[in-house]
Amino acid sequence: MPPRPTLTVMPPRPTLPIMPPRPRPHHLRPLHSLPPAPFTPPSNTWDSHLHVSAPRTSTPAAPSSNPAYTPSYHPLSSALAHASRHRLTTLVFVQPSTSGLDNTPVLAALAALAPANPSHPPAPARPAARGVIVLDPLRPPPPSTLHTWHLAGVRGIRLNLRSLSATPSPREFAHTLSHYAPLCRATGWALQLHIDLALAPALLSAAADLGGVRIVLDHFCGPPGVVAAGRDAGWDAVLRLLQARAAWVKVSGAYRVPGVGVGREERVEGMVRELLGVGGGRGVVWGSDWPHTRFETAGVDTERWMRMVYGWCAERGARERVFGLSARELWDGGEWQGGGA
């Protein structure tokens, strides 16, 4: 046998130091690990639904619609912090149901933000403001008072039936609206309705008799749950009102819809998209519903709600309308006619 070849023994290779893993480039990280993209709302963003409240020690001029509920104190300073945090340029202060006919918190907020008030901060640091008040249309304040309120920024009257759990018949509802319509026409103010969705068909029937009063519906018009076109007569009526430009709809308070709740607001996406499908967002206005009365401690995320609606608007190019243009048409679209009903 021939001799086997001799194997050469190689010296051991030097041991390389173990380097810590390098962080993955930002563009290669898993999507769930990326920080949220910077969010900038559209310029001139209106918040068409938020509240301020008086200290608990104050006594309202009329009974609250729900005396069993005592709201927390939410001063103007907190509302301004909310506006700064979310880059809001115009705030629409809505009289909460808990204040009854005492419009003092709304009027005080308007006065504090009035351009003629020398105590306010420089103009770029503060938002503009509008107000929605509550009154008895059969015993309204005198025209001089209404005009003072108009100059201060009041642009709407709120009729809140939902918080009262009131369920009038269609005829009774139309009769109630007929009391508000002359006052709204005289002041140029909108009529804001907080009602159950079941009343929307009655509103559709009565709209032609309101003489062009601008109607705005709170919180998707109070649906009993997530609804869709063709499956709920009330929702179909809302879409028809929107199509006829007879009403505006607030996409606000989504967590109040039964079956949705805080943190699951994406469940109303279909409803928002159906509203956007009518005129590309014309007549649809965004609201934060701050400070989320009765949900103050539930962790409502306003920026998340803004991002959702912002994203749903993108496909139809409706962002500027929903966050600004439609609100301006709604709240500043009327003219003072003398204030007499």
Side-chain angles (χ1 to χ4, degrees):
M1 298 291 293
R4 293 181 179 180
T6 303
L7 298 178
T8 304
V9 179
M10 301 295 293
R13 293 182 180 181
T15 302
L16 297 177
I18 299 176
M19 302 296 291
R22 294 182 180 180
R24 300 180 70 179
H26 186 81
H27 65 283
L28 296 179
R29 296 182 197 172
L31 291 179
H32 63 78
S33 70
L34 294 177
F39 173 69
T40 302
S43 59
N44 301 318
T45 294
W46 289 56
D47 185 345
S48 282
H49 197 104
L50 76 162
H51 307 287
V52 285
S53 59
R56 293 184 181 183
T57 55
S58 65
T59 302
S64 164
S65 64
N66 186 354
Y69 169 72
T70 302
S72 301
Y73 175 40
H74 300 289
L76 177 61
S77 59
S78 297
L80 293 180
H82 160 79
S84 176
R85 185 163 53 251
H86 302 295
R87 302 183 185 182
L88 307 173
T89 57
T90 307
L91 307 178
V92 181
F93 294 106
V94 177
Q95 171 77 344
S97 60
T98 51
S99 294
L101 298 178
D102 181 8
N103 295 292
T104 301
V106 169
L107 296 173
L110 294 178
L113 295 177
N117 189 330
S119 65
H120 60 55
R126 79 181 194 283
R130 305 291 185 271
V132 179
I133 52 88
V134 174
L135 52 72
D136 182 348
L138 300 179
R139 300 176 183 82
S144 59
T145 298
L146 296 175
H147 190 232
T148 299
W149 291 358
H150 182 81
L151 295 176
V154 171
R155 291 296 182 271
I157 304 172
R158 192 185 199 198
L159 170 59
N160 186 342
L161 298 179
R162 187 170 172 83
S163 294
L164 294 170
S165 299
T167 55
S169 68
R171 183 175 180 178
E172 291 169 336
F173 182 50
H175 185 65
T176 299
L177 295 176
S178 71
H179 292 312
Y180 284 89
L183 194 56
C184 288
R185 287 195 296 267
T187 57
W189 298 348
L191 179 56
Q192 180 170 313
L193 302 177
H194 191 25
I195 59 175
D196 287 334
L197 186 61
L199 281 175
L203 176 61
L204 178 63
S205 299
D209 297 326
L210 298 180
V213 171
R214 300 187 314 285
I215 301 292
V216 56
L217 303 171
D218 278 353
H219 307 326
F220 298 90
C221 196
V226 175
V227 294
R231 298 182 180 181
D232 187 284
W235 188 243
D236 289 344
V238 168
L239 296 176
R240 289 179 62 187
L241 285 163
L242 197 59
Q243 186 174 35
R245 298 189 181 181
W248 280 254
V249 181
K250 291 186 184 182
V251 287
S252 60
Y255 52 88
R256 299 183 186 274
V257 176
V260 177
V262 176
R264 298 188 296 272
E265 290 87 350
E266 66 276 1
R267 295 184 178 184
V268 302
E269 177 180 354
M271 296 173 64
V272 174
R273 290 190 181 275
E274 287 185 346
L275 294 172
L276 295 175
V278 181
R282 182 182 295 274
V284 180
V285 296
W286 178 84
S288 69
D289 196 29
W290 184 92
H292 322 296
T293 55
R294 298 178 175 83
F295 290 83
E296 289 97 334
T297 61
V300 177
D301 189 336
T302 295
E303 181 171 324
R304 182 172 180 267
W305 177 236
M306 289 185 79
R307 285 174 176 268
M308 284 182 180
V309 177
Y310 187 85
W312 298 334
C313 288
E315 297 174 6
R316 300 183 182 276
R319 290 173 175 171
E320 295 295 334
R321 295 190 191 96
V322 172
F323 285 92
L325 296 178
S326 289
R328 188 170 63 189
E329 292 173 357
L330 167 63
W331 301 115
D332 289 346
E335 296 183 2
W336 177 262
Q337 300 296 331

